[in-house]
Amino acid sequence: MVELLTVRNLSIHFKTFFGELKAVRNIDFDINEGEIVGLVGESGCGKSITARSILRLLKTPPAFIPNGEFVFNGRTLNQLSNEEIRKIRGKEISMIFQEPMTSLNPVFRVGEQVAEAVLTHKKEPKKEVKKRVIDVFKSVGIPDAERRYAVFPHQLSGGLRQRVMIAMALISNSKLLIADEPTTALDVTIQSQILKLIKDARDAYGMSVLLITHDLGVISEVAEKVYVMYAGKIVEETSVEKLINHPKHPYSVGLINSIPRVEQPHKKGVRLNALSGKVPELFEIPIGCPFNNRCEKKMEICEKQDPPLKKIEDNNKVACWLYNH
């Protein structure tokens, strides 16, 4: 398979009044052409920051990248000028943000905002662009697309706003779509429709997808490869099938076990499985493995050294001393 995006040794830090916050620490990952890759973990693990850094959307300062590089389609993104990266944003790499109501401009009509994604990169007759926008609206399941072209974001439901964001990503035939929690705050029926749209877009246009979520159910529906992220680092890299059925890292095991299952007995007093504790403060990441304060299989070495991400079998890497000791 041909690699489209390669991220190597990436760290992202923030300068704050309380000290230096290490949000992302020396991570590596790859996305191949036509592949849907999941990036999963609890809130505060660094998933969205990683995604925004690819498109250079982090404000600098306070953010800065002490080391690492992004290579997209043969170009090193963090070496490009601001003008060069603007030519890539929205054209070759598109992004669906976590909350469409705050991502869409409330004072412009939604159709005009989608059209802008085309007109920013290429001069075309506005009538032709409008027709393209309406056609894309129809393709993503927006009913009465001609009328909806002229409405404002607040006049649409959450599901329709998310479809507008997907239309904005599709209209430029991007090579890579970054979907940051695209189903947040949507009911399960709309969630399923949005995920199907993303998968259908991949099949129809051949685009690659980076899907960011904390919901393993979402990952299991559409992704093929998954990276599990914890406290700013990747702790497991595997296929979705292996993650769901044979998770290796204790954190991955905890995430899987915390999912309610239909076959579990529903008896009074029986509690759901849950991960104890919380993600450590990134100002003061503990010495050793960052998961050691929540891990039931903790060993002495876990409190002294942070385990590297190592290959333990085909297409499976784990950062855990249970496998690297």
Side-chain angles (χ1 to χ4, degrees), residues 54-208:
I54 294 171
L55 284 172
R56 303 239 302 261
L57 293 175
L58 298 177
K59 188 175 181 180
T60 54
F64 68 100
I65 297 177
N67 53 268
E69 66 175 12
F70 314 94
V71 179
F72 172 74
N73 207 22
R75 288 169 292 178
T76 304
L77 297 183
N78 43 326
Q79 292 180 356
L80 299 182
S81 66
N82 291 334
E83 183 63 31
E84 288 171 325
I85 198 69
R86 276 196 292 268
K87 292 178 180 178
I88 291 175
R89 288 191 201 120
K91 184 180 180 182
E92 296 185 51
I93 305 177
S94 299
M95 187 165 181
I96 302 173
F97 293 92
Q98 189 165 351
E99 176 45 65
M101 191 61 202
T102 57
S103 302
L104 293 167
N105 193 316
V107 301
F108 290 101
R109 303 177 193 277
V110 295
E112 294 171 351
Q113 294 186 57
V114 176
E116 186 181 12
V118 178
L119 296 172
T120 298
H121 299 286
K122 190 176 180 181
K123 291 184 178 180
E124 293 186 25
K126 289 186 177 181
K127 286 186 177 180
E128 290 184 15
V129 175
K130 180 178 179 178
K131 183 180 182 300
R132 280 177 58 188
V133 172
I134 292 171
D135 288 343
V136 174
F137 276 6
K138 291 176 180 178
S139 73
V140 298
I142 297 177
D144 198 3
E146 291 84 355
R147 182 177 67 83
R148 293 272 169 57
Y149 179 96
V151 303
F152 293 94
H154 72 271
Q155 295 175 287
L156 298 176
S157 66
L160 286 178
R161 287 195 294 266
Q162 199 62 285
R163 289 170 191 266
V164 169
M165 293 298 296
I166 293 173
M168 192 181 295
L170 296 182
I171 199 165
S172 298
N173 294 325
S174 301
K175 292 182 174 68
L176 174 63
L177 170 63
I178 301 173
D180 185 6
E181 302 277 7
T183 59
T184 296
L186 301 177
D187 64 62
V188 291
T189 304
I190 303 300
Q191 280 186 27
S192 179
Q193 294 172 0
I194 295 299
L195 292 176
K196 185 177 185 302
L197 275 175
I198 292 173
K199 196 168 185 179
D200 289 347
R202 187 280 302 269
D203 296 339
Y205 299 97
M207 65 169 52
S208 304

Side-chain angles (χ1 to χ4, degrees), residues 309-325:
L309 186 69
K310 285 192 175 181
K311 186 174 182 178
I312 60 169
E313 56 187 47
D314 289 343
N315 302 317
N316 206 163
K317 296 180 181 178
V318 181
C320 180
W321 289 119
L322 290 171
Y323 305 95
N324 296 334
H325 189 45

